[in-house]
Amino acid sequence: MTTQRTYIVAFDTANEVVAIGIGALNAKTKSIQLIASREIEAHRQSNTQLLPQIDELITLNNIEKSQIKCVVCGRGPGSFTGVRIALSTAKGMASALAVPLYGISSLDVVAWNLWDSGIRGDCLVLADAMRKEVYPVRYCVDEEGVTRRDADTVVKAEVAAETYKARYLSGDALKKYADLFKENGTFAPEATWAPSGKGLLLAFQDAWRKNTVDPFDVVCGNPALTLPVYTRLSDAEENERIRLSKNDPKNLVSGVQDVTRRRDQRPQKHDTVLENAQAGNDGILFRPLDAAHVPDVAALETTLMGSDAWNEALLLDELPRKDRVWWAAYTDSDAEEELIGYAGGWIVDGQLQILKVATRKDWQLQHIAKRLLAYVANDARDLGARNATLEVRESNHAARAFYEGLDFSLLGKRPGYYSDKEDACIYQGPLPLDQRDVAGMSVTAHENPEVSTQHPKPWILAIETSCDETAAALIDGNGTLISDVLASQIDFHARFGGVVPEIASRKHVEAICGVTQECLDIAASKLGVSSLSWKELSAVAVTYAPGLVGALVVGVAFGKAAAWAADIPFISVNHLEGHIYANKIETPDIKPPMVVSLVSGGHTMLVHVKDWGDYEILGATLDDAVGEAFDKVAKALGLGYPGGPVISSLAKEGNPAAIDFPRAMLHSGDLRFSLSGLKTAVLTHINKEKQAGRPLNLADIAASFQQAVVDVQVAKARTALRQTKAREFCLGGGVAANPALRKSYEEMCAKEGVRLTLPPLTACTDNAGMIALVALDRYRKHLFSPLNADAYAQANLEEPY
Ligand code: KG4
Ligand code: ZN
């Protein structure tokens, strides 16, 4: 009897090189036989190169996809985007193959290159971290293998040159800093400097033999839990920490925005909030602890901790440190913000040491501590922590039960640890804290009110990651959305006053498995089956442009790899086309020719839809997008982010004729827009009022600004309808939620005798359902995309497909 051979696929794109290793698994001897390996210079093209290269290697070696039992991927540290491409690809591949995924340090892979080349002795691996920084890790390399000496960290190249010496040096930073490190040790051959296919397999085999991984264990190798090694927060967060560590009263403003959005954009009637790990709809604010609130923390410490309490000076000293993470929770009732809890941790040697977790007595039992810890854990993970430890008084049974509930286990005791000689119990627990990790976001499942029991194929799963929502939807052959799931990151961006691209990309990687799995699970229950696998789908579709390229690339890499692994077609969809199709959700029989107004934070345009797939842009904005203008005006008025909902609710109370703001290009004779002049006029008005010492009439400003926007939008839409003679008018984008705009369109369309479609808010803003609707048409026309498909910041909607 012959048993089928089983294989492992390993790859790394953390740097300039795409490295792939294919190995045959031998479970008896726990060994991996190298079948093929390949290293190619990628020069930032890893998303187009990786999957075609893997496909070629598999085919050349006559390996069936069903024989792949494990996926291994380099987690960095390295280029953030490079690492995310490998991980997103690996997550998609492992999810669709239903096999485990394991991450390996890209630096360990280089160390195994050294071992493989016969080098023995103390080695230092230095990877380029850009910004004149390097990732240094020391290893002991001997006959037995490789032993790591340091946790991942990032330091200035010059500091590393002063600090680290070794017998041998390797790593791609040597290319850039050869001179700087020439005295620090002998340079190993350049062939060892970048991760290799063989190095990946050797590193994994070592972990297998040490029983830290098992290539056949899907639970242990849960693809959702494998995450990049960053060792740094995003620049926006780093700068925020510096600002917050200073005792500046302005710090108090940070983060208030979370609530504004929630008040206006509560989930709709048909939505169910499935998971809400951190940011609640309960008016509780979470944000990094700032110096101005340290006295409040110290006061609460004294009440709760007695002799273990930390004082103000101790706490203030913590905040500016790069290896510390402190978060606080506040109530935001109509009165003042009040501190109700805080948590702090220290990242040391790849471990999060939880220093403090406390909640005010009257707020206990509301999961505040758990949510605070989740925030701390999120940051700690980005800073390189892989697990968490803490000490707790032996007699503190409530706290011990709390940690045990979070899967922490008792490691041992430290006798007489506390000042009163009580023993400390030492616990260790996993990071991240949630099994199905959605990066601490609220996941919303949109319920389709249409009740249908027939769900003919094709079944297409669509993914949207172009901006700050991670979304997945499943559509059937009738065009019914069987499942439509969305995780919003808004709470992670709000306190920065806008979407931070690096944070968006990170969150997509964290959430993509959880969101797509939730989508499949909901679909399974609708279909009346216990589970739905990727292989049962007909195609995978993904938004490929336009949007934030680092965010898009996560969805594209994940979706391509999942489609490849499931042997089904891959479809790439233009995000703006999605917004056009979203109107089918409200009006299933809507049909071209029609005029669509796309108004969001990134776009403002009138599109003539001559047929599905045949578009003409009649006019677009020359400068700011409409949503952007709302956001900028709100920011100037100190109303937080996003601005649209706040401005529109304020406007209800105001007089739209109070201030005569300009209607730019109203009579320009064409269908283009300009909004920067209006924005400037509002800012000038605000300054003038302030200088004159008059209080700002927020409601009048909001109403007058909004009216100026609406007048131009509606007038140009009317012209577009008359020019094209289209009998259908519809909307897309977040600004389409604006009640004044909707009302004016109703009046205009009634007068023009044109059918108006006003999609519900959930269909106007970014979602995956709209991408699925486009994908269904594409699928029927057999318009599929190749394995080298990529993500793009821009794409031409007019180009026929
Ligand atoms: O389509 P969207 O969710 O995201 C993209 O920009 O792609 O749109 C978000 C934009 C934000 O600028 C937000 O301020 C605006 O839509 N918005 C509104 C309203 N609700 C959201 N603008 C005006 N009035 C509203 N009610
Ligand atoms: Zn959009």
Side-chain angles (χ1 to χ4, degrees):
M1 194 184 84
T2 53
T3 42
Q4 225 195 10
R5 297 243 281 172
T6 55
Y7 296 92
I8 180 168
V9 173
F11 46 87
D12 183 292
T13 64
N15 295 291
E16 295 287 284
V17 171
V18 172
I20 304 166
I22 315 276
L25 292 161
N26 185 332
K28 261 194 213 119
T29 55
K30 286 197 176 174
S31 60
I32 299 172
Q33 180 200 344
L34 180 71
I35 301 293
S37 74
R38 194 171 272 188
E39 292 81 30
I40 46 168
E41 293 280 337
H43 301 294
R44 298 181 177 270
Q45 297 293 312
S46 34
N47 191 35
T48 56
Q49 300 263 3
L50 179 60
L51 203 53
Q53 294 284 345
I54 295 173
D55 186 58
E56 200 180 297
L57 283 180
I58 299 283
T59 313
L60 279 176
N61 290 285
N62 296 317
I63 296 170
E64 301 281 330
K65 285 167 195 159
S66 59
Q67 292 174 282
I68 302 170
K69 294 298 169 202
C70 181
V71 178
V72 166
C73 165
R75 306 166 63 217
S79 134
F80 294 167
T81 306
V83 174
R84 282 193 285 265
I85 288 169
L87 263 161
S88 307
T89 305
K91 280 168 183 265
M93 191 179 286
S95 300
L97 291 171
V99 302
L101 166 65
Y102 292 99
I104 294 266
S105 156
S106 304
L107 303 181
D108 291 4
V109 176
V110 172
W112 278 97
N113 284 349
L114 294 171
W115 181 86
D116 187 46
S117 74
I119 280 175
R120 300 291 178 264
D122 284 339
C123 298
L124 170 64
V125 176
L126 295 156
D128 185 11
M130 317 299 280
R131 299 196 293 190
K132 298 189 176 152
E133 291 180 324
V134 296
Y135 303 111
V137 172
R138 284 171 297 197
Y139 295 88
C140 170
V141 179
D142 59 22
E143 274 316 305
E144 301 291 299
V146 165
T147 314
R148 181 188 256 261
R149 288 268 166 85
D150 306 302
D152 288 311
T153 176
V154 61
V155 293
K156 289 272 170 236
E158 285 185 3
V159 176
E162 283 162 20
T163 322
Y164 298 92
K165 278 200 176 17
R167 178 104 179 266
Y168 297 102
L169 309 187
S170 187
D172 69 343
L174 296 179
K175 276 191 200 162
K176 213 185 241 176
Y177 303 111
D179 273 352
L180 195 58
F181 288 98
K182 63 176 186 285
E183 307 293 331
N184 296 49
T186 308
F187 287 14
E190 202 171 330
T192 66
W193 291 5
S196 67
K198 191 174 179 194
L200 278 156
L201 296 178
L202 285 170
F204 183 78
Q205 178 181 267
D206 182 58
W208 188 12
R209 289 179 178 168
K210 289 179 176 146
N211 292 319
T212 54
V213 299
D214 177 349
F216 301 102
D217 184 345
V218 196
V219 177
C220 173
N222 180 349
L225 302 186
T226 304
L227 294 173
V229 176
Y230 293 115
T231 76
R232 305 197 262 246
L233 297 175
S234 66
D235 287 352
E237 289 163 296
E238 270 188 10
N239 294 336
E240 180 197 41
R241 296 297 148 97
I242 295 167
R243 189 171 60 82
L244 293 181
S245 69
K246 298 185 180 129
N247 210 342
D248 176 352
K250 277 206 296 284
N251 296 341
L252 298 173
V253 184
S254 176
V256 176
Q257 299 88 338
D258 301 21
V259 175
T260 9
R261 157 100 170 204
R262 280 192 219 110
R263 279 192 194 125
D264 278 55
Q265 302 193 355
R266 289 252 166 84
Q268 308 279 296
K269 204 167 63 216
H270 296 299
D271 294 352
T272 343
V273 174
L274 299 168
E275 188 165 344
N276 205 338
Q278 298 171 353
N281 294 323
D282 46 11
I284 298 170
L285 293 183
F286 293 86
R287 62 166 184 258
L289 177 63
D290 55 75
H293 281 95
V294 159
D296 298 347
V297 173
L300 196 49
E301 271 281 293
T302 313
T303 333
L304 296 171
M305 305 284 177
S307 61
D308 302 331
W310 286 21
N311 62 25
E312 269 182 50
L314 211 53
L315 288 161
L316 276 175
D317 182 57
E318 287 279 307
L319 296 189
R321 294 175 184 256
K322 277 199 166 180
D323 53 359
R324 306 297 158 97
V325 181
W326 284 83
W327 278 80
Y330 306 90
T331 52
D332 182 65
S333 54
D334 291 331
E336 282 275 281
E337 260 177 47
E338 275 181 56
L339 178 89
I340 52 172
Y342 52 89
W346 176 17
I347 292 88
V348 50
D349 282 338
Q351 202 167 50
L352 167 68
Q353 292 192 3
I354 297 168
L355 300 169
K356 291 279 173 190
V357 188
T359 311
R360 209 170 75 185
K361 283 252 156 54
D362 51 338
W363 279 88
Q364 279 164 5
L365 302 176
Q366 308 212 26
H367 304 298
I368 310 257
K370 185 175 169 197
R371 287 153 72 183
L372 279 164
L373 261 188
Y375 276 105
V376 171
N378 264 322
D379 286 352
R381 243 172 13 196
D382 279 0
L383 289 169
R386 302 211 56 183
N387 57 30
T389 61
L390 59 100
E391 289 116 14
V392 58
R393 281 177 178 271
E394 191 173 22
S395 62
N396 192 346
H397 296 290
R400 292 177 57 182
F402 167 72
Y403 290 115
E404 280 157 17
L406 292 175
D407 278 344
F408 276 72
S409 51
L410 185 63
L411 276 190
K413 289 191 184 169
R414 209 163 270 165
Y417 176 79
Y418 290 97
S419 50
D420 57 5
K421 300 285 176 270
E422 182 172 345
D423 294 354
C425 293
I426 303 161
Y427 279 89
Q428 183 165 328
L431 285 180
L433 299 169
D434 297 308
Q435 268 293 307
R436 176 171 299 177
D437 191 36
V438 285
M441 294 187 241
S442 313
V443 182
T444 308
H446 187 67
E447 289 282 339
N448 194 334
E450 191 184 330
V451 204
S452 164
T453 44
Q454 293 292 310
H455 295 292
K457 287 204 170 183
W459 295 340
I460 305 170
L461 186 133
I463 296 168
E464 153 69 40
T465 65
S466 69
C467 191
D468 62 339
E469 339 256 23
T470 318
L474 209 146
I475 197 166
D476 70 11
N478 285 338
T480 303
L481 293 170
I482 308 179
S483 141
D484 189 0
V485 178
L486 182 138
S488 171
Q489 311 174 349
I490 189 83
D491 293 311
F492 293 91
H493 299 283
R495 61 181 208 276
F496 299 103
V499 175
V500 180
E502 174 60 22
I503 296 179
S505 307
R506 290 185 182 198
K507 295 292 157 201
H508 288 310
V509 175
E510 291 173 36
I512 192 113
C513 284
V515 167
T516 48
Q517 193 54 52
E518 193 72 57
C519 178
L520 288 171
D521 287 355
I522 290 173
S525 76
K526 292 278 174 60
L527 295 166
V529 294
S530 64
S531 70
L532 185 62
S533 76
W534 289 83
K535 290 193 183 71
E536 293 166 86
L537 301 175
S538 313
V540 178
V542 180
T543 306
Y544 80 99
L548 301 170
V549 76
L552 286 161
V553 89
V554 173
V556 171
F558 180 92
K560 266 197 314 186
W564 175 83
D567 267 325
I568 51 177
F570 173 69
I571 301 168
S572 47
V573 174
N574 182 307
H575 179 81
L576 296 179
E577 195 177 6
H579 276 305
I580 295 172
Y581 270 72
N583 286 280
K584 281 192 172 189
I585 296 173
E586 178 70 14
T587 312
D589 68 342
I590 193 169
K591 58 174 193 296
M594 57 200 214
V595 170
V596 188
S597 161
L598 295 181
V599 275
S600 73
H603 297 279
T604 297
M605 58 172 74
L606 283 162
V607 181
H608 180 201
V609 178
K610 297 176 190 166
D611 197 351
W612 298 112
D614 184 3
Y615 312 108
E616 181 193 355
I617 297 172
L618 300 168
T621 181
L622 300 173
D623 36 59
D624 293 350
V626 187
E628 199 180 348
F630 272 89
D631 294 339
K632 285 179 176 169
V633 166
K635 198 169 183 177
L637 293 171
L639 299 172
Y641 171 86
V646 207
I647 300 244
S648 59
S649 59
L650 261 177
K652 282 185 200 133
E653 321 286 317
N655 173 8
I659 309 150
D660 188 21
F661 287 130
R663 270 81 174 147
M665 302 185 73
L666 185 58
H667 305 293
S668 63
D670 61 22
L671 296 170
R672 294 177 304 169
F673 303 86
S674 168
L675 283 125
S676 73
L678 171 59
K679 174 200 67 194
T680 312
V682 177
L683 301 190
T684 311
H685 172 82
I686 296 171
N687 284 338
K688 228 172 56 203
E689 294 296 290
K690 279 185 180 161
Q691 268 164 16
R694 285 189 288 267
L696 290 179
N697 186 329
L698 293 184
D700 280 357
I701 297 174
S704 302
F705 159 75
Q706 179 177 278
Q707 195 57 50
V709 170
V710 170
D711 284 353
V712 180
Q713 288 294 319
V714 176
K716 300 239 170 185
R718 184 192 298 117
T719 310
L721 283 164
R722 287 178 182 173
Q723 265 179 21
T724 59
K725 304 197 170 57
R727 311 313 308 153
E728 300 254 22
F729 180 69
C730 55
L731 296 176
V735 186
N738 186 284
L741 188 66
R742 292 168 90 99
K743 187 156 171 285
S744 293
Y745 276 138
E746 275 168 2
E747 289 161 11
M748 183 272 281
C749 287
K751 269 197 205 133
E752 299 291 311
V754 164
R755 178 161 76 157
L756 169 69
T757 296
L758 288 174
L761 175 59
T762 46
C764 289
T765 53
D766 292 350
N767 63 86
M770 66 188 198
I771 305 302
L773 285 161
V774 180
L776 183 58
D777 265 11
R778 294 291 190 94
Y779 182 87
R780 293 199 165 120
K781 293 177 189 161
H782 293 276
L783 292 166
F784 305 133
S785 299
L787 294 181
N788 66 356
D790 208 354
Y792 297 94
Q794 301 293 341
N796 187 357
L797 184 65
E798 293 184 334
E799 224 161 69
Y801 60 77

